[in-house]
């Protein structure tokens, strides 16, 4: 088994101490700073620059307390709580008049230049600065001079900038540069004119820039997509949800007003996303209310249908079917997929993903079930002290994992800090002591990645060569694993170096996934895991497999048939009807194949929330609720089943996908049926309390107690306040009435506590500052617990045959562009690349191709050449999943570029 991760981000728990706060003794953990300790005790102390994920720098001076030397010291001295380690018997005062006066004075100074524009500030009502102002008791402004003012910048489609609100706490640059590795957000000037922004206007480049909205304690950085349809936090109806834009499973809180989804914010999960989301997850929600949204059923023959006609049409078509092929979806819930499976039968239930991805997921599951593998959470990934990435660019395929790996390379710095006796939370001191020292990170991938800047070594190669390198690493770790013949001397040396680093690490981690669609790469990971397990008996190997969609792993666990099997079933005449759930097949296979499948099927029925190419060819389209309007369970790449809940009622005539398919009266019945039917899902009913759960007889309100306008907001339709909609599928209510406290973590829609209106209120819901959620982080792990006993050694793949004048195609993923639903958000689409074919510059020269020259990727699909330095030789990279590129790259093994005028192949 891997090392169990216990304690918070600041290191393992240490022996308990006692300190005296305002005359009362409290237990605290040794090694903490006073601010952490005070907040972990549930007490209030204002702060700005400290952040649980980033530690202390003592910049803002807001957390001052009085520390007394000994029992005889009646005066004490001011110390910064965030910079002061706790010590046995320490005496401090939070509430003494000197402590309070100091903090009120600091707050007043910080506010000298602040514009006091709360009524027009989008942070208002959830502002940490507002909260701290009230907490310190600063109520009267004495400064009568001119305030300094700044010019704001256009920071791109995600973030607004209003620099006049800055209090110079430095959190933003510390987060952006030190935590995320970004370099285009800087601090400029000095003294009273200090400026936080870019050197010129332009989109913030880092993929995690959206967290500035939550990191900045004031309204300098706000959500630009939210601005367009802004509502105060207290007027938003929210629900606990899970991001649907990749397989990581970050927890989110979507906010609704007037029937439209207004924004996504982070929902803290101690094992997964912690405090941070990626920008795809935060800003990719536009599809819920976007122009392609389906609100009404439609028939290809007769156009729009009302609900009862649509139900009758569906019933008639299914009764008329000679056989039904069901095609499920990795972006639909377990329950919706299971409902389809029940409707068509297990034999006729298909996964609805490309065949290459299907094969990869089967291989992946085979490894997870049979090898001593532990699928790590992101918190565990952050603790890895040596990492090998094989074939993946995590920033593009599993973004939040990339941010975790950026923290993992800091473990060497933390080890140096330990040697020098520097606490981990002393952020500046740790960075100063460690300088550029990093834990080893090795990346073998076809193209440059966004983590290359922190890698000890990178290797650019085709997926096959990457796999061979992985097998060689396994042999280097355990000589019983078969050797790899014919490696280049460079690759042999690299394999030996990686093997050495992984073997000598305490917590090695292997990262791979379905990104380059290579089963060989996955088998190589299995081989390394087995080799490490042999070298370290009794310990499972930590692995993270990135999977593309929010329920890719859940669907794989259902053992659905492949898309090729679906095509065969229709082609052979065994079935004549396609029932497609939340899936655009044109993203899964090449156009000719999908055209043939849809043409051969006598009846095509699509259930989805968004209009797409497949739905346009369906005989009947039924509108489904989006993730923000329905409940269900998703399985993340960690193997964790998590429940998400509706933030709002389904729009128009849309309804839960499963409600079109089956007879289940409520979600609990369906979830129970799934748990009873497939043993791997036996535990999923425990993901969250069911619909019957009550606190003192009450449901949990989705609306805060300050929710306003409920009586007036629909007065243009009816002057009587309408009855709030009932929710029979969960213990949440579409209401502001209900149980205000003690929500189980899986059912907590938002964080709020007296005096804490900002997201910093999450501290009141944690077992300690930066720790786990009180009551446990939500979700049930279904697989990947390291219990597998072993597989025979695999035979390494041969070198691939050379193909004259041709290249091998690999998909290149883009955080903005490769995900289907987020591309319906205009802000995300603005950041997506245009379609291209990427070539190594030497390959381009050899083939006589110049940058920008058009080449034929597939019949009648012409794309410009992009010369990409660092791309492995002999391969061509094609962006995966772009809506303007109707050709999934899985279609080809090799590709010979044609230019205009060439004979078409
Ligand atoms: S912009 Fe926000 S986070 Fe950055 S220094 Fe100013 S107040 Fe702090
Ligand atoms: S990493 Fe994945 S799950 Fe997390 S916010 Fe980004 S897209 Fe969503
Ligand atoms: S929070 Fe302690 S000095 Fe800023």
């Amino acid at each position: 088994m891997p090392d169990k991760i216990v304690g918070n981000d600041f290191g393992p728990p240490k022996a308990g101490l006692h300190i005296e706060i305002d005359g009362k003794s409290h237990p605290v953990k040794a090694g903490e700073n006073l601010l952490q300790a005070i907040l972990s005790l549930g007490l209030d102390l204002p702060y700005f620059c400290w952040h649980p994920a980033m530690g202390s720098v003592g910049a803002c001076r807001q957390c001052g307390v009085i520390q007394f030397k000994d029992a005889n010291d009646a005066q004490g001295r001011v110390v910064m709580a965030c910079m002061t380690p706790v010590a046995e018997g320490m005496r401090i005062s939070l509430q003494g008049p000197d402590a309070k006066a100091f903090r009120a004075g600091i707050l007043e100074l910080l506010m000298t230049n602040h514009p006091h524009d709360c009524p027009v500030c989008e942070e208002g009502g959830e502002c940490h600065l507002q909260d701290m102002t009230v907490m310190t008791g600063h109520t009267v402004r004495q400064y009568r001079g001119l305030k300094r003012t700044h010019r704001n910048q256009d920071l791109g489609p995600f973030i607004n900038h209003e620099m006049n609100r800055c209090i110079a706490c430095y959190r933003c640059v510390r987060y952006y540069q030190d935590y995320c590795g970004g370099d285009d957000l800087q601090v400029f000037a000095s003294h009273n004119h200090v400026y936080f922004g870019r050197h010129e206007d332009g989109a913030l480049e880092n993929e995690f820039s959206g967290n500035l909205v939550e990191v900045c304690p004031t309204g300098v950085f706000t959500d630009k997509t939210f601005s367009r349809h802004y509502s105060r936090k207290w007027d938003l109806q929210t629900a606990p949800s899970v991001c649907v834009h990749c397989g990581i499973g970050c927890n989110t809180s979507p906010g609704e007003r007037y029937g439209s989804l207004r924004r996504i914010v982070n929902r803290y999960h101690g094992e997964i996303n912690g405090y941070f989301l990626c920008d795809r997850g935060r800003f990719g929600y536009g599809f819920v209310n976007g122009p392609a949204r389906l609100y009404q059923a439609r028939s290809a023959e007769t156009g729009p249908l009302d609900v009862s006609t649509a139900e009758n049409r569906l019933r008639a078509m299914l009764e008329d079917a000679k056989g039904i092929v069901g095609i499920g979806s990795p972006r639909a819930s377990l329950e919706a997929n299971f409902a389809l499976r029940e409707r068509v039968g297990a034999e006729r239930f298909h996964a609805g993903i490309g065949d290459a991805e299907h094969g990869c997921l089967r291989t992946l599951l085979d490894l997870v079930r049979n090898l001593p593998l532990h699928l790590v959470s992101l918190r565990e990934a952050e603790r890895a002290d040596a990492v090998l990435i094989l074939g993946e660019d995590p920033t593009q395929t599993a973004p939040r994992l990339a941010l975790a790996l950026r923290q993992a390379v800091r473990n060497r710095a933390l080890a140096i800090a330990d040697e020098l006796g520097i606490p981990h939370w002393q952020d500046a001191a740790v960075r100063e002591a460690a300088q550029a020292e990093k834990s080893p990170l090795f990346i073998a991938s076809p193209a440059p990645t966004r983590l290359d800047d922190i890698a000890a070594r990178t290797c650019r190669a085709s997926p096959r060569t990457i796999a061979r390198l992985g097998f060689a690493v396994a042999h280097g770790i355990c000589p019983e694993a078969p050797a790899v013949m014919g490696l280049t001397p460079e690759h042999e040396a690299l394999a030996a170096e990686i093997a050495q680093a992984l073997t000598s690490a305490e917590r090695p981690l292997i990262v791979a996934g379905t990104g380059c669609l290579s089963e060989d790469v996955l088998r190589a990971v299995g081989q390394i895991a087995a080799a490490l397990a042999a070298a370290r008996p009794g310990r499972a190997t930590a692995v993270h497999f990135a999977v593309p969609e929010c329920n890719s792993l859940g669907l794989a666990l259902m053992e659905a048939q492949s898309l090729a099997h679906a095509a065969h079933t229709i082609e052979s005449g065994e079935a004549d009807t396609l029932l497609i759930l939340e899936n655009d097949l044109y993203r899964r296979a090449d156009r000719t194949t999908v055209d043939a499948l849809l043409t051969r099927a006598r009846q095509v029925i699509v259930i989805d929330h968004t209009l797409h190419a497949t739905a346009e060819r369906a005989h009947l389209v039924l509108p489904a609720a989006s993730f923000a309007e329905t409940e269900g369970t998703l399985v993340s790449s960690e193997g964790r089943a998590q429940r998400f809940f509706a933030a709002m009622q389904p729009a128009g005539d849309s309804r839960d996908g499963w409600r079109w398919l089956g007879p289940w009266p409520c979600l609990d019945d369906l979830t129970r049926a799934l748990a009873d039917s497939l043993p791997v899902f036996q535990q999923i009913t425990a993901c969250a309390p069911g619909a019957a759960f009550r606190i003192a007889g009450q449901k949990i309100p989705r609306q805060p107690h300050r929710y306003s306008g409920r009586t007036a907001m629909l007065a243009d339709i009816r002057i009587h306040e309408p009855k709030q909609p009932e929710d029979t599928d969960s213990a949440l209510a579409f209401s502001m009435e209900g149980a205000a406290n003690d929500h189980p973590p899986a059912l907590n829609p938002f964080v709020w506590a007296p005096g804490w209106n900002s997201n910093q209120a999450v501290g009141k819901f944690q077992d300690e500052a930066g720790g786990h959620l009180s009551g446990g982080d939500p979700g049930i792990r279904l697989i990947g617990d390291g219990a597998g006993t072993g597989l025979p050694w695999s035979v390494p793949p041969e070198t691939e045959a050379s193909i004259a004048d041709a290249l091998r195609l690999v998909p290149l993923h883009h955080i903005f562009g490769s995900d289907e639903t987020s591309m319906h958000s205009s802000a995300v689409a603005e950041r997506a690349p245009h379609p291209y074919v990427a070539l190594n510059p030497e390959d381009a020269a050899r083939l006589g191709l110049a940058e920008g020259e058009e080449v034929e990727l597939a019949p009648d699909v012409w794309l410009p050449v992009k010369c990409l330095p660092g791309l492995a030789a002999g391969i061509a990279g094609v962006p995966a999943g772009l809506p303007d590129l109707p050709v999934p790259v899985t279609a080809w093994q090799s590709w010979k570029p044609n230019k205009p005028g060439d004979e078409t192949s």
Side-chain angles (χ1 to χ4, degrees):
M1 292 291 291
D3 301 321
K4 277 274 172 251
I5 308 303
V6 183
N8 64 19
D9 296 327
F10 307 100
K14 303 186 177 125
L17 304 174
H18 284 82
I19 63 171
E20 187 185 306
I21 304 174
D22 292 319
K24 193 172 166 201
S25 175
H26 294 272
V28 296
K29 272 186 3 192
E32 288 185 317
N33 64 60
L34 257 179
L35 177 59
Q36 275 179 269
I38 287 164
L39 297 174
S40 295
L41 288 168
L43 303 173
D44 290 343
L45 179 61
Y47 62 88
F48 288 115
C49 63
W50 175 80
H51 189 287
M54 295 189 278
S56 312
V57 288
C60 72
R61 322 309 284 171
Q62 187 57 67
C63 63
V65 298
I66 303 291
Q67 181 182 4
F68 301 99
K69 216 167 28 185
D70 52 37
N72 300 321
D73 182 1
Q75 189 171 354
R77 65 186 181 109
V78 175
V79 296
M80 293 308 115
C82 71
M83 298 297 282
T84 308
V86 293
E88 179 61 35
M90 175 184 246
R91 276 183 64 219
I92 63 156
S93 169
L94 294 187
Q95 299 303 336
D98 290 348
K100 287 170 117 173
F102 176 84
R103 295 194 297 262
I106 291 291
L107 200 292
E108 185 170 3
L109 287 172
L110 291 175
M111 293 287 278
T112 307
N113 287 305
H114 188 79
H116 289 80
D117 61 341
C118 306
V120 297
C121 175
E122 293 182 9
E123 194 83 351
E126 54 180 328
C127 176
H128 187 59
L129 179 59
Q130 281 182 332
D131 287 349
M132 298 302 101
T133 305
V134 174
M135 194 176 284
T136 54
H138 165 62
T139 51
V140 177
R141 180 184 177 82
Q142 299 177 65
Y143 176 65
R144 292 289 176 265
L146 276 181
K147 297 177 189 177
R148 61 96 179 90
T149 53
H150 294 291
R151 190 180 69 81
N152 300 317
Q153 292 182 316
D154 180 352
L155 298 177
F158 298 150
I159 305 281
N160 282 323
H161 192 220
E162 176 46 74
M163 251 307 290
N164 291 335
R165 297 176 184 141
C166 179
I167 57 164
C169 71
Y170 281 73
R171 258 190 180 189
C172 53
V173 281
R174 291 180 58 222
Y175 164 74
Y176 199 86
Q177 296 183 1
D178 297 345
Y179 199 86
C180 301
D183 58 10
D184 61 318
L185 181 80
Q186 303 279 353
V187 51
F188 301 95
S190 63
H191 188 49
N192 208 18
H193 301 285
V194 70
Y195 187 89
F196 297 84
R198 284 172 48 91
H199 73 290
E200 61 182 10
D201 285 22
L204 287 169
E205 290 161 13
N206 193 273
E207 296 81 3
F208 306 94
S209 66
N211 296 309
L212 290 170
V213 170
E214 300 193 40
V215 166
C216 175
T218 83
V220 175
F221 300 105
T222 53
D223 179 341
K224 196 180 266 185
T225 68
F226 186 33
S227 292
R228 300 206 181 100
H229 48 192
Y230 180 73
S231 191
R232 291 289 183 200
K233 175 189 180 182
W234 64 75
D235 283 342
L236 290 171
Q237 176 172 271
T238 59
S241 189
V242 174
C243 178
V244 292
H245 299 296
C246 87
I248 291 289
C250 296
N251 284 205
T252 59
S253 278
E256 175 266 6
R257 181 82 169 165
Y258 280 108
S260 74
L261 185 60
R262 301 302 175 96
R263 72 167 181 185
I264 299 283
V265 293
N266 186 68
R267 181 167 65 99
Y268 187 87
H269 190 292
E271 284 293 338
I272 310 176
N273 44 300
Y275 295 89
F276 306 124
L277 300 175
C278 81
D279 288 355
R280 180 198 278 180
R282 185 182 294 272
F283 301 114
Y285 63 90
F287 69 98
V288 172
N289 312 117
R293 181 65 201 271
L294 288 165
Y295 295 104
Q296 195 176 10
R298 61 169 73 180
S299 149
E301 290 168 7
T302 57
L305 304 174
D306 61 37
V307 171
S308 68
T309 311
E311 284 172 341
N312 292 338
R313 185 72 59 90
L314 173 64
R315 194 176 312 115
M317 288 175 78
L318 295 180
E319 281 169 9
D320 187 40
K322 292 212 182 75
I324 309 169
V325 162
I327 297 185
S329 171
R331 61 171 167 83
S333 68
L334 286 179
E335 288 85 351
N337 276 297
F338 179 67
L340 177 64
R341 187 179 183 273
E342 289 293 277
R343 193 72 187 73
V344 300
E347 290 303 308
R348 294 271 168 83
F349 177 60
H350 300 77
I353 55 178
D355 291 333
E357 184 185 324
H358 194 255
C360 284
L361 286 165
R362 284 200 162 169
T363 300
L364 185 160
L365 276 184
D366 186 43
L367 300 175
V368 172
R369 284 174 174 144
N370 293 301
L371 288 172
L373 289 184
H374 172 73
L375 294 180
V376 290
S377 68
L378 297 196
R379 179 182 284 251
E380 288 169 321
E382 285 179 1
R383 296 260 297 150
D385 57 355
V387 180
L388 170 61
I389 300 175
L390 281 183
E392 206 71 18
D393 182 354
T395 309
Q396 316 299 341
T397 57
R400 187 59 186 81
L401 169 66
L403 193 57
L405 296 178
R406 202 167 271 285
Q407 313 320 308
V409 299
R410 287 202 69 225
N411 281 309
R412 176 72 195 121
L414 298 181
I416 291 170
D418 286 341
E419 286 162 18
L420 298 172
I422 303 172
H424 293 184
W425 47 262
Q426 276 278 16
D427 193 50
V430 173
R431 288 178 195 279
E432 180 68 21
Q435 297 291 315
E437 291 284 332
K438 292 184 182 63
S439 304
L441 166 67
F442 301 93
I443 306 175
S445 61
T449 81
R450 292 281 281 160
L451 290 178
D452 288 357
D453 62 309
I454 51 167
R457 296 266 183 281
T458 60
C459 162
R460 299 285 109 87
S462 69
R464 177 76 67 88
T465 305
I466 290 169
R468 285 167 53 76
L469 178 74
F471 277 96
V473 170
H475 177 69
I477 294 168
C478 174
E480 286 173 33
V484 180
M485 300 308 179
L487 276 186
T488 63
E490 293 79 30
H491 285 168
E492 268 185 20
L494 180 59
E497 185 182 345
I498 297 171
Q500 166 65 26
L502 295 178
T503 314
S504 52
E506 270 296 301
R507 298 175 299 277
L509 169 65
I510 321 295
V511 173
T514 57
C516 62
L517 294 171
S518 168
E519 291 182 50
D520 287 335
V521 168
L522 294 168
R523 289 194 306 113
V525 174
Q527 197 92 326
I528 298 171
L532 275 172
R536 312 178 324 152
R539 299 175 79 180
T541 304
V543 172
H544 192 109
F545 288 122
V547 295
E549 288 169 73
C550 60
N551 205 18
S552 291
L553 209 53
L555 184 61
L557 288 168
M558 287 187 157
E559 311 280 2
Q561 307 271 13
S562 69
L563 204 51
H565 185 273
H568 173 75
T569 308
I570 293 287
E571 197 174 335
S572 66
E574 290 171 52
D576 66 351
T577 297
L578 279 172
L579 182 50
I580 303 168
L581 173 73
E582 300 189 33
N583 210 328
D584 179 7
L585 300 185
Y586 286 100
R587 295 180 62 84
R588 313 295 182 176
D590 65 272
R591 179 161 287 279
T592 314
T593 306
V594 180
D595 278 348
L597 176 62
L598 296 178
T599 305
R600 283 195 188 107
R602 189 173 58 83
Q603 307 186 105
V604 178
I605 304 163
V606 168
I607 302 171
D608 212 334
H609 46 70
T610 301
L611 185 64
H612 44 61
T614 305
E616 277 171 353
R617 292 208 47 190
H619 301 102
L620 177 65
V621 180
L622 302 169
S626 72
F627 82 97
E629 303 152 312
T630 187
E631 279 91 6
T633 311
L634 304 171
V635 182
S636 72
S637 50
E638 186 200 346
R640 184 185 293 261
Q642 301 191 93
R643 189 77 37 81
F644 63 97
F645 294 92
M648 60 207 239
Q649 292 281 288
D653 291 342
S654 65
R655 57 170 72 164
D656 313 284
W658 55 268
R659 280 208 154 90
W660 286 110
L661 291 165
W664 301 275
C666 70
L667 185 81
D668 282 352
D669 293 338
L670 179 54
T671 309
R672 165 58 53 204
L674 168 58
D676 291 345
S677 180
L678 297 172
V680 68
F681 298 116
Q682 212 170 24
Q683 301 297 318
I684 62 164
T685 52
C687 285
F693 176 81
R694 297 288 183 273
I695 298 170
Q698 295 184 299
K699 289 189 129 193
I700 295 170
R702 286 173 167 94
Q703 301 162 357
H705 62 283
R706 293 173 180 151
Y707 191 82
S708 65
R710 196 169 78 183
T711 314
M713 58 198 294
L714 298 175
D716 59 326
I717 300 167
R718 197 158 172 257
I719 58 164
H720 300 291
E721 181 182 331
K723 183 173 181 294
Q724 295 302 299
E726 279 185 30
D727 181 357
T728 55
D729 291 320
S730 82
L732 299 164
F734 291 105
S735 168
M736 57 199 282
E737 287 92 14
N741 302 312
D742 301 327
H743 306 158
L747 286 178
N748 199 22
F750 52 87
V751 290
W752 180 87
W756 296 82
N757 298 289
S758 79
N759 55 13
Q760 310 287 306
V762 72
K764 300 289 183 189
F765 296 80
Q766 295 167 330
D767 58 2
E768 60 182 342
H772 297 275
L773 288 171
S774 307
D777 294 311
I780 301 284
R781 293 203 25 147
L782 303 179
I783 54 167
D785 59 359
T789 50
L791 285 170
W793 294 114
S794 285
V795 178
E798 297 291 329
T799 320
E800 56 219 339
S802 71
I803 40 175
D805 294 336
L807 301 162
R808 291 186 191 279
L809 289 162
V810 294
L812 297 183
H813 297 265
H814 292 270
I815 178 173
F816 309 124
S818 297
D819 168 60
E820 180 185 1
T821 52
S822 61
M823 280 296 281
H824 290 277
S825 293
S826 57
V828 169
E830 194 178 322
R831 297 287 307 275
H834 295 296
Y836 61 83
V837 178
L839 301 181
N840 176 305
E842 285 80 45
D843 280 339
R846 181 172 57 81
L847 295 165
L849 294 168
E851 174 88 20
E853 195 169 352
E854 297 254 312
V855 287
E856 189 175 33
L857 179 67
D860 295 328
V861 179
W862 292 87
L863 298 178
V865 167
K866 173 176 161 183
C867 290
L868 182 57
L871 184 68
I875 66 171
V878 181
L882 292 189
D884 300 336
L885 185 54
V887 189
V889 76
T890 59
W892 303 276
Q893 285 291 306
S894 65
W895 168 70
K896 188 173 174 193
N898 283 323
K899 295 193 277 185
D902 287 353
E903 201 176 306
T904 305
S905 57

